[in-house]
Amino acid sequence: MRNIDRDFVRQLSRRHTESHRDKKARPDKDEVLIDNGWEIIVPKGSDIVIRTAVKDFVRYLKVCMGVDVGIRYVKVMEKERFRKEQVIILRRKE
């Protein structure tokens, strides 16, 4: 592995180790507060890139923002199905 690759990997591995949340901050009228109870919706059978991104984002939210979100893997990605839930829909547009 080249030095630049090792440095990049080392830098990434140091991320998500401390809180960055301003507990006094409140969302403006056009913003959304992501808090405990939200879920990330992911298509079943997603590739390694998507699965890695989801796990990294969940770790970021937990460690840096103090928020526990779940991951739900689904067979069918129908936006209408999740419209009234507190979810983040993650998928790759082909």
Side-chain angles (χ1 to χ4, degrees):
M1 192 184 300
R2 297 177 308 167
N3 277 347
I4 193 163
D5 293 338
R6 272 181 269 170
D7 292 343
F8 178 72
V9 170
R10 194 175 304 117
Q11 185 180 14
L12 279 179
S13 66
R14 285 195 301 254
R15 303 256 187 240
H16 311 330
T17 59
E18 59 189 51
S19 177
H20 298 289
R21 186 171 193 154
D22 178 356
K23 295 184 182 192
K24 296 176 195 164
R26 297 291 174 251
D28 285 335
K29 62 181 178 178
D30 59 343
E31 296 177 326
V32 174
L33 174 67
I34 298 174
D35 56 9
N36 296 333
W38 278 64
E39 287 185 303
I40 299 176
I41 305 296
V42 183
K44 281 187 179 178
S46 292
D47 63 27
I48 188 75
V49 173
I50 296 294
R51 291 192 317 264
T52 301
V54 169
K55 289 177 185 175
D56 189 56
F57 186 51
V58 167
R59 181 169 180 241
Y60 168 78
L61 288 173
K62 182 173 186 139
V63 174
C64 299
M65 294 292 147
V67 175
D68 284 315
V69 299
I71 301 172
R72 187 184 341 163
Y73 293 93
V74 298
K75 284 184 180 180
V76 180
M77 295 293 287
E78 297 172 357
K79 285 195 289 189
E80 295 299 321
R81 179 176 161 200
F82 307 111
R83 192 163 299 285
K84 294 185 180 179
E85 297 181 52
Q86 293 178 311
V87 297
I88 298 167
I89 299 174
L90 181 68
R91 64 182 177 181
R92 177 181 275 178
K93 186 173 182 177
E94 301 297 330

